[in-house]
Amino acid sequence: MIPYGKQSISQTDIDAVVEVLKSDWLTQGPKVPEFETSVTNYCKAEFGVAVNSATSALHIACLALEVGSNDIVWTSPISFVASANCALYCGATVDFVDIDLDTGNMSVNELEKKLILAKQNNCLPKVVIPVHLAGQSCDMKAIHQLATHYGVKIIEDASHAIGGKYLDKPIGCCEFSDICVFSFHPVKIITSAEGGMAVTNNQELAKRLRKLRSHGITSDPTEMTEPSHGPWYYQQVELGFNYRMTDLHAALGISQLSKVDEFVNQRHFLAQIYDTHLDLNLIRPLQQNNTCYSAYHLYIVQLTDSDIEQHKNVITQLRAAGIIGHLHYIPIHLQPYYKAMGFSAGDFPNAEKYYQRAITLPLHPTLQDHEVHLVINTLHQILN
Ligand SMILES: *Cc1c(COP(=O)(O)O)cnc(C)c1O
């Protein structure tokens, strides 16, 4: 079987983890801050807070921005459910901004329209969470301009996007956001097994993220409400979680990060083979090369209108041929849990259209050239 995504683990990665196993620290020790510094150096942000998943990072990012039960959060319907669930964890209300069909990313036009309406109805969101689908940045400059104008905070869900660039700067530099979140799940660009990170240029937010990661506990005397009782003393000053990353995971993350450019180059190389040899009536992923360098987490093609009835059949037949074609994503608002909250088919037409025609083809750094050609030939057989 050819999977749609897969990690690439070397002996160096294995050695890095084994070394930690033999050390004094298993859970959050010296490797976690080292990983945080490596990531923030790489993406040119000031502060990094490593946690046990991107889902946890999204949750505490919302909390750090003070999302609560009277607040509204908007995200993209074409994403993994975690991009929306994080707001529900805080008791907030979730709504979606429809996508642009060609990139699958949040539409700036739709965002603007929705903001104008929300302002009139006095129901502006507190936070908007754009998702860099497949590793290509959203139009962050435009989103930031709108968000600033309407007083809305921004969390970038860059789970797909470490190693990508926007306007010649690394995704994660937070030039156009308050907080940016990465995932290090094995199918993503680099992995720490499970793991995630929130990066920011705001020191106060970083402090809050750190507290929330570990039970809301601080050992910083300036944040305490009474003098220290002694050298054992710590204070819980708010309600946090155990979202800590372990040193084992961080060591793997550090080792993987040293290969991020290599991985992304290889993804581009393989995507180029698809681009050149997929000679079919398919919509290829639009690359906005003037502003974006994608991390190419996913290679998503779209069927044209005339082939739309074939959609399920194409994915089924690919799988029958040993190729795991996939679908990113089922629109979040059409999940039963979200439908029970009142969303329904027709709410976000572009997202729903995307769902009817998108197919994710295998793309990962261990994929071989001949496997890409096998995928291409199989697709040619199915669609001709
Ligand atoms: C993978 C993913 C997440 C969740 O990442 P975890 O590290 O598995 O929690 C969130 N958002 C998007 C867009 C993702 O692809």
Side-chain angles (χ1 to χ4, degrees):
M1 284 293 201
I2 303 177
Y4 83 87
K6 190 180 174 217
Q7 70 276 15
S8 165
I9 299 291
S10 68
Q11 190 59 45
T12 325
D13 294 327
I14 295 167
D15 293 345
V17 176
V18 171
E19 195 183 312
V20 174
L21 273 171
K22 295 176 183 163
S23 78
D24 290 338
W25 296 89
L26 294 185
T27 188
Q28 199 169 298
K31 290 293 172 191
V32 168
E34 190 185 328
F35 185 34
E36 291 169 341
T37 307
S38 313
V39 169
T40 52
N41 283 344
Y42 179 78
C43 69
K44 300 195 163 58
E46 280 194 58
F47 309 98
V49 181
V51 286
N52 58 0
S53 71
T55 304
S56 303
L58 286 164
H59 181 194
I60 59 173
C62 285
L63 289 175
L65 292 171
E66 295 176 327
V67 172
S69 54
N70 293 322
D71 295 315
I72 302 167
V73 173
W74 292 356
T75 187
S76 168
I78 294 296
S79 183
F80 185 56
V81 291
S83 312
N85 288 348
C86 57
L88 299 182
Y89 297 155
C90 307
T93 304
V94 173
D95 201 355
F96 301 94
V97 179
D98 209 353
I99 59 161
D100 283 326
L101 255 185
D102 48 6
T103 60
N105 277 335
M106 181 181 280
S107 158
V108 172
N109 276 339
E110 291 300 320
L111 177 63
E112 182 165 25
K113 277 198 264 174
K114 205 172 166 100
L115 283 167
I116 291 169
L117 211 64
K119 168 114 184 171
Q120 283 167 4
N121 297 326
N122 209 16
C123 57
L124 281 168
K126 181 170 252 175
V127 173
V128 60
I129 308 180
V131 180
H132 304 319
L133 187 74
Q136 177 166 246
S137 179
C138 297
D139 186 353
M140 289 309 300
K141 198 170 172 182
I143 292 173
H144 181 253
Q145 244 161 25
L146 285 170
T148 308
H149 184 258
Y150 287 93
V152 178
K153 303 283 186 194
I154 300 176
I155 301 170
E156 291 172 79
D157 184 343
S159 291
H160 299 182
I162 196 165
K165 294 194 181 81
Y166 175 69
L167 298 179
D168 287 325
K169 293 197 183 133
I171 291 177
C173 71
C174 296
E175 183 177 1
F176 300 111
S177 64
D178 296 278
I179 299 173
C180 176
V181 166
F182 296 122
S183 172
F184 309 121
H185 180 280
V187 296
K188 307 293 163 71
I189 305 291
I190 61 165
T191 189
S192 62
E194 294 281 3
M197 198 177 294
V199 297
T200 180
N201 292 329
N202 180 319
Q203 185 163 24
E204 285 312 308
L205 288 177
K207 275 191 188 168
R208 286 210 70 200
L209 290 164
R210 290 216 168 89
K211 265 185 291 187
L212 289 162
R213 150 174 84 179
S214 195
H215 307 280
I217 283 173
T218 181
S219 41
D220 174 357
T222 67
E223 292 183 350
M224 294 186 184
T225 54
E226 51 185 276
S228 170
H229 301 176
W232 64 86
Y233 194 61
Y234 58 83
Q235 267 192 359
Q236 184 192 341
V237 292
E238 62 184 307
L239 185 63
F241 307 87
N242 180 355
Y243 282 170
R244 292 187 303 264
M245 178 178 269
T246 76
D247 259 30
L248 296 167
H249 295 84
L252 180 54
I254 294 164
S255 181
Q256 286 264 304
L257 184 67
S258 68
K259 295 179 283 191
V260 61
D261 291 338
E262 196 186 307
F263 287 162
V264 172
N265 281 341
Q266 184 63 10
R267 287 172 175 277
H268 274 262
F269 170 76
L270 296 167
Q272 185 83 52
I273 303 181
Y274 280 126
D275 284 346
T276 338
H277 294 278
L278 264 180
D279 186 19
L280 284 164
N281 195 19
L282 281 175
I283 303 163
R284 294 212 208 90
L286 176 74
Q287 295 300 300
Q288 295 172 306
N289 293 326
N290 292 335
T291 50
C292 296
Y293 176 74
S294 178
Y296 252 127
H297 169 50
L298 302 169
Y299 193 92
I300 301 174
V301 292
Q302 295 180 57
L303 298 179
T304 55
D305 287 335
S306 56
D307 287 330
I308 253 176
E309 327 76 62
Q310 288 244 56
H311 186 234
K312 186 172 169 186
N313 180 41
V314 174
I315 296 181
T316 309
Q317 287 205 43
L318 280 172
R319 291 192 175 205
I323 297 159
I324 308 290
H326 216 290
L327 214 181
H328 294 88
Y329 286 95
I330 305 159
I332 301 174
H333 69 284
L334 298 184
Q335 294 287 354
Y337 188 81
Y338 281 83
K339 282 207 259 187
M341 287 178 347
F343 292 104
S344 54
D347 287 349
F348 304 100
N350 280 353
E352 292 164 30
K353 196 164 181 190
Y354 194 80
Y355 180 53
Q356 289 175 342
R357 51 166 81 197
I359 301 172
T360 304
L361 302 179
L363 181 64
H364 49 88
T366 60
L367 192 68
Q368 303 295 306
D369 301 17
H370 69 87
E371 292 176 311
V372 180
H373 285 287
L374 179 69
V375 176
I376 292 166
N377 293 339
T378 310
L379 262 181
H380 278 245
Q381 276 163 24
I382 298 170
L383 278 169
N384 276 336

